[in-house]
Amino acid sequence: MSILDDTKAVAQGLVQKGMAKAVALAPDSWMPGGKPDPLIAHQHGHVGKPVSRIDGPLKVAGAARFAAEVPLEGLAYAALAYSTIAKGRIVAIDTEAAEAAAGVIAVMTYRNAPRLQPPPAFMSSQKAAGGDTLPVMQDDRIHWNGQPVALVLAETQEQADHAKALIQATYAEEPAQTDFAEAVARGTQVAQFMGEPLHNAVGDAEAALAEASVKVDATYRTPRHNHNAIELHGVTCAWEGETLRIHDASQLVAHTAWSIAQMFGIAEEQVVVTSPFVGGGFGGKCLWQHQAIAAAAAKFAGRPVRLVLSREGVYRIVGGRSLTEQRVALGADLDGKLTALIHSGVTAKTAANAMPEPFILPARSVYAAESVLLHVDTVEIDMLSNTFMRAPGEAVGTFALEVAMDELAEATGIDPIALRLRNEPENDPTTGLPFSARHVEKMWRDGMERFGWSRRDATPGAIRDGEWLVGMGCATGTYPYYRMPGGAARITLNRDGHATIDIAAHEMGMGTATAQTQVAAERLGLGMADITFNYGDSTLPGVVLAGGSQQTAAIGASVIAAYNALVAELLKAAGNDSPLAGLKPDELASRDGGLCKADEPERHESYASILARAARDTISVIAEPPMPLETQHWSMHSHSAVFCEVRVNTVTGEPRVTRILGSFDCGRILNPKTARSQFRGGIIMGLGLALMEETQFDERNGRVMNPSLAEYHVPVQMDVPEIDVIWTDIADPHTPMGAHGIGEIGITGTAAAIVNAIYNATGKRVRDLPITLDKLL
Ligand code: MOS
């Protein structure tokens, strides 16, 4: 259901802005005749090769220019002052001392800021899913502790930082709801996610649970998390006449341009957002207040502006993952067959957004159970709006579900992997749809063998090495395949045989440009050096979100659509004297720098020859892929089996993860080198989720108390063991290139595998994250 709702919600937004046409077509309709993508079968090209990042040398040399590094003539530097109350009004704001400070150009507050409309909702009809729709520095209202209340513009960053410290705000505080338990006691509401309630029911799960031969029933808690991409959020922006140019760190350039244009009441074409390199996104590099504030300041002062958030600033105005309190209750027969699966609980959000942490999403498809009850409630807290954070829902949902499965394994006396395989579903258990591709059993068996699972002792605390207890655990992870509407691509082919692909996509460090150059080269029958892949610019075709692990599919389908249009154009240009004369577009394939008959490769003409005969220097086409109907026909997911080994110190309680293996089933892997590091990055974030990450939110005043990497812990080099990664590499015939997303699957399942290994090592079952050493003493 969620997949459909997401695409519908996004489609709604895109149709509004005229970017997508809702065309009802057969699944796989991006390929002529609904056939699978030929790249799935063609194993001899560039796809599947471990190509090194094409932007690697630029980055190593420091020559890749990030948003906060763009030089502009007359640049002014900005710093933000943040509210220190959670709710109320600004009654006075004294900016005199700041204005008089050395180098200060201007101080902007709600009193003098240019008038702006609130940001439009993102991915949801009334309220934003991810971020919010609150006014930006337009009135005296305070909505959260940390809201920007003033911007100082100065000749240097140091002068701006100093002057902002001189600003004095006085508030009229109002009672705020900042205590989670108190909010729950006041009453909860059913969570709405992408316009639909987070609720599923199959049969009577509570009754089935009561009658089950074996049952487990427990509560699991996860704390708030904040985004900590290495690159701080920052913009460098300038008004060039009526055009606003924003150099951003973004995972959605086209959407940012569209939103900012609406806020300033100007045409979308008047806003150009570029973002060629991004130092990590994870869901956090979307639209927050700083882009609009910087653009407003540039307008206010008549100067180009750079606004780079401090690390504290990221905690104050960039939302993260919300907390969860989850119940998982499993009922099974003596053979471990699930008769009841209940996953429910509460999460917090704000009144101005629509992003409950949707932790029940994995339970919708991962196990066959005779009866199912899934339900999320929300409470509203006066805090910074939360947002997407790497596998929103799945990352913390698999923690609870997969720890519960481990508890059920122990209760039934069945090996945890055997228990999972016993509950492998035939079809999607909540939608009834067939799976497009699901090789979960192979994934588990390959992983077990590689990891040496047979060496595990099922008795907790049985293995000791000096003062260390040693244990092994496992868990499964799942993340949906999405392909959001709004894709479009342009291909321009030159007479010298060089092709340029243009699409408003993103490179956040994961290897997009590299993998997509491989795909384009193979599709066009060209060498890697014959392809230029342009992205990260809102003026390029398409509205593509680098999120939901969907960018590769969105780009892939767009490039296929453009390629099909290109083939038709080339065929027209080839005319009657070509060896291709008389053939239809879907009889053609690309090979050796030209087109040929797919089943008769010697019937070939090079692109150069076709263009020369037609006296054309270039042929350029632009096309949009059909709506992503594949997700209405199949249940589509990436899957993982995570194995880990831990050591827990009996004296200090310190847990150390010593070995991790991720075994993945994510369709065809396009580039093993970049994929492996993406999987590993996700696993490392899962390690942080299990053992370290926790936002300290002061429930008395709604203030985040640890807004720095000194006090908010993430895994560092010495925390990360050798991470082994394998995959099935079995193509999904119903996706572009046979691929599934791999951006978010790594984090899912990892926390549970670590928790389960700690239980196996110590006999201590910790159900609230993170597992700091005090919980193991
Ligand atoms: Mo991801 S949380 O959709 O960037």
Side-chain angles (χ1 to χ4, degrees), residues 251 282-283 388-392 479 508 546-549 744:
Q251 49 194 105
F282 314 111
F388 319 109
M389 186 161 167
R390 206 170 203 174
Y479 192 84
M508 306 191 290
S549 299
E744 292 167 270

Side-chain angles (χ1 to χ4, degrees), residues 275-301:
S275 185
F277 302 106
V278 183
F282 314 111
K285 291 263 171 75
C286 294
L287 186 71
W288 295 97
Q289 293 208 347
H290 64 288
Q291 290 105 328
I293 291 177
K299 192 172 181 176
F300 180 71

Side-chain angles (χ1 to χ4, degrees), residues 464 467-469 647-656 762 773 776-777:
R464 209 184 163 104
E467 61 187 44
W468 296 88
L469 291 166
R647 296 163 79 84
V648 178
N649 192 288
T650 50
V651 179
T652 65
E654 180 189 14
R656 302 293 305 178
T762 64
L773 44 77
L776 296 174
L777 280 174

Side-chain angles (χ1 to χ4, degrees), residues 2 75 82 117 187-188 273 343 379 414 505 528 534 537 552 582:
S2 75
L75 193 61
Y82 307 101
Q117 293 300 310
T188 59
V273 177
H343 193 171
V379 290
I414 298 171
M528 292 277 290
N534 290 326
D537 182 329
T552 297

Side-chain angles (χ1 to χ4, degrees), residues 11 26 43 63 69 81 97 101 131 356 505 539 627 719 723:
Q43 297 279 1
E69 299 176 322
T539 62
M627 291 295 281
D719 298 311
I723 299 174

